[in-house]
């Protein structure tokens, strides 16, 4: 493709997320954008030089010179991106510029340039840089997720006794509590976060074909081995050491992708519930309001649940990106692959962006979610006493014998339900009570006992204990629902600061 005509502005022509609003945030861009990738590559090169100098494998003072040359502000990201086509990866053109800057800065003539990239290959540097990028992004992501789980745990406690209707295959099923719903939201997100937090993000230093051949030559006759250098690089960067190179064993990448997708899965579940429960005809929940958010371009009266819409959009995209990582891993041929590796980079970065963006939106949703218990009770009452037919059948059928037609107690009670369902919805509550009383006389089922059976608060099973057990299983994610006055502000992944 031809270059843009003269006068084009690279800063203005960049990708700012116009078609991906869920992740269109300065904070997300700072963690995952091209400049962050470039900075991570440079950080790896600088850290490697420091490792070599410490091992007396590079001239004294080399690390300081390379670190100065590795300032990302010295480099034109757009130009390097275009020139990456010449070597099929960005490390090659960046490395040429880095060496040039090192030479210019090596005013003492110590030969610092000799240490740059020594015994490494471009995949070593880019794999390690992407793990470094992911490490930084995951830290930001977990900050948002833990704030969200804190808010969800508070909702679970606050609404432990708030009755609502459970729904199964779109239909009213049994009495439920909103506290348990919030606890289940918490469980999905906390489990995904714990999985993500447990990952080891490794360094890569295998050399041209993954045999450490150049590293072996470099360390011959010294007190260190190529494995020692790799471990020291891991320690310097805060990444995980590895027993061997992993050029074509991509579990580190697919595992990260799966963990990120699990976070968006959990977020998507919450968003899907909020989208339904905030419909006007349901009206059990509402998103927090903010100036300029949720409006329609055509209908002034609308207040769209855009936080949930954006979260859901991320949840629907993330699995495809994770699948791409698996597809690439399954086709990593030879000792260094041709093309499959290259498809990982955009897929992994896209996953990081989607997860970061969704996490920021979800935090705001959870911390400001509006809950309407009266509407929950109204919807619960729509099904009337039929919602308790399971409880009634379990308690009453043993009291009834087989009638003249051969029907046992359970069959007779099912007939009551079936007959009730054939009546208009508005009359079903009264019909069910009348037919039930006709089938079961007061001497077998006193009125007081019948009313107990038809009270939804008496048929919640172990809802409270389930919620308690969920929160107890993830104590590190319960946190506190609100910070004390004067607490430090945190960066909002939606682009603003939070108090």
């Amino acid at each position: 493709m031809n270059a843009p005509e003269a006068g084009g502005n690279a800063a203005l022509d960049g990708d700012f997320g116009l078609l991906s609003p869920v992740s269109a945030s300065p904070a997300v861009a700072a963690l995952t954008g091209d400049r962050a990738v470039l900075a991570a590559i440079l950080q790896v090169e600088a850290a490697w030089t420091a490792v070599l100098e410490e091992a007396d494998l590079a001239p004294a003072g080399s690390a300081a010179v390379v670190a100065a040359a590795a300032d990302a502000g010295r480099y034109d990201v757009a130009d390097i991106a275009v020139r990456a086509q010449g070597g099929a990866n960005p490390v090659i053109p960046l490395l040429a510029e880095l060496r040039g800057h090192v030479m210019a800065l090596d005013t003492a003539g110590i030969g610092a340039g000799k240490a740059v990239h020594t015994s490494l290959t471009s995949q070593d540097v880019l794999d390690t840089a992407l793990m470094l990028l992911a490490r930084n992004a995951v830290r930001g992501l977990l900050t948002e997720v833990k704030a969200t789980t804190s808010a969800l745990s508070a909702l679970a406690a606050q609404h432990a006794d708030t009755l609502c209707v459970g729904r199964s295959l779109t239909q009213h099923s049994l009495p439920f509590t909103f506290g348990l719903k919030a606890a289940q939201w918490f469980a999905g997100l906390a489990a995904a976060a714990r999985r993500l937090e447990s990952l080891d993000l490794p360094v890569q230093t295998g050399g041209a074909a993954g045999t450490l051949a150049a590293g072996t030559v470099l360390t011959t006759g010294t007190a260190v081995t190529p494995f020692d250098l790799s471990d020291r690089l891991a320690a310097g960067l805060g990444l995980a050491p590895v027993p061997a190179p992993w050029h074509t064993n991509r579990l580190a990448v697919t595992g990260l992708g799966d963990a990120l997708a699990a976070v968006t899965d959990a977020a998507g579940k919450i968003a899907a519930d909020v989208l339904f429960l905030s419909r006007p005809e349901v009206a059990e929940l509402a998103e927090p309001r903010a100036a300029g958010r949720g409006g329609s371009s055509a209908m002034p009266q609308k207040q769209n649940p855009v936080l949930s819409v954006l979260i859901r959009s991320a949840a629907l995209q993330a699995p495809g990106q994770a699948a791409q990582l698996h597809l690439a891993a399954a086709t990593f041929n030879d000792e260094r692959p041709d093309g499959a590796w290259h498809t990982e980079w955009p897929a992994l970065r896209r996953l990081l962006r989607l997860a970061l963006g969704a996490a920021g939106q979800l935090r705001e949703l959870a911390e400001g979610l509006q809950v309407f218990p009266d509407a929950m009770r109204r919807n619960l009452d729509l099904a009337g006493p039929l919602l308790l037919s399971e409880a009634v059948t379990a308690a009453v059928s043993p009291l009834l014998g087989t009638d003249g037609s051969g029907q046992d107690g359970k069959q007779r009670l099912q007939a009551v339900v079936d007959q009730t369902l054939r009546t208009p919805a508005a009359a079903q509550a009264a019909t069910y009570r009348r037919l039930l009383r006709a089938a079961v006389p007061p001497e077998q089922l006193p009125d007081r006992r019948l009313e107990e059976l038809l009270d939804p608060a008496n048929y919640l099973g172990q809802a409270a204990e389930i919620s308690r057990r969920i929160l107890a299983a993830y104590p590190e994610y319960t946190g506190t629902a609100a910070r004390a006055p004067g607490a430090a502000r945190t960066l909002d992944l939606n682009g603003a600061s939070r108090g």
Side-chain angles (χ1 to χ4, degrees), residues 22 25 28 140-141 143-145 148 263 267 293 307 311 353-367 491-495 498:
V22 67
S25 153
V28 173
L141 173 60
T143 296
E144 298 297 297
V145 167
T148 301
V263 170
R293 186 173 66 208
L307 293 175
I311 296 164
R353 286 178 165 177
L354 289 169
L356 280 164
Q361 308 287 347
L362 184 61
R363 175 179 180 177
E364 186 170 356
L365 174 63
E367 290 183 336
L491 185 63
D492 185 345
L493 288 173
N494 296 328
R498 281 197 179 93

Side-chain angles (χ1 to χ4, degrees), residues 149-192:
T149 54
S150 175
L152 293 177
S153 69
L155 283 172
Q158 180 182 352
H159 293 282
D161 299 320
T162 300
L163 290 175
C164 64
V165 64
R167 297 174 175 90
S168 173
L169 299 174
T170 77
Q171 304 300 298
H172 289 189
S173 56
L174 291 175
F176 209 74
T177 67
F178 182 67
L180 179 54
K181 184 179 286 290
Q184 291 288 11
W185 290 347
F186 169 93
L189 193 59

Side-chain angles (χ1 to χ4, degrees), residues 90-161:
V91 176
I92 295 172
L94 179 57
L95 186 57
E97 288 196 25
L98 174 62
R99 284 177 169 143
H101 286 301
V102 169
M103 185 175 297
L105 292 170
D106 187 8
T107 56
I110 62 174
K114 297 176 183 178
V116 174
H117 201 70
T118 297
S119 80
L120 298 179
T121 191
S122 55
Q123 186 173 351
D124 293 334
V125 175
L126 192 52
D127 276 352
T128 303
L130 289 177
M131 291 295 105
L132 195 59
L133 185 87
R135 192 273 312 278
N136 296 336
V138 166
R139 284 177 177 172
L141 173 60
L142 289 172
T143 296
E144 298 297 297
V145 167
K146 288 181 177 181
T148 301
T149 54
S150 175
L152 293 177
S153 69
L155 283 172
Q158 180 182 352
H159 293 282
D161 299 320

Side-chain angles (χ1 to χ4, degrees), residues 213-241:
T216 301
V217 172
L218 178 66
T219 57
T220 296
T222 72
V224 297
T225 69
F227 302 105
D228 296 327
L229 299 180
S230 178
D231 290 348
R232 292 178 185 182
L233 179 64
L237 292 173
L239 296 175

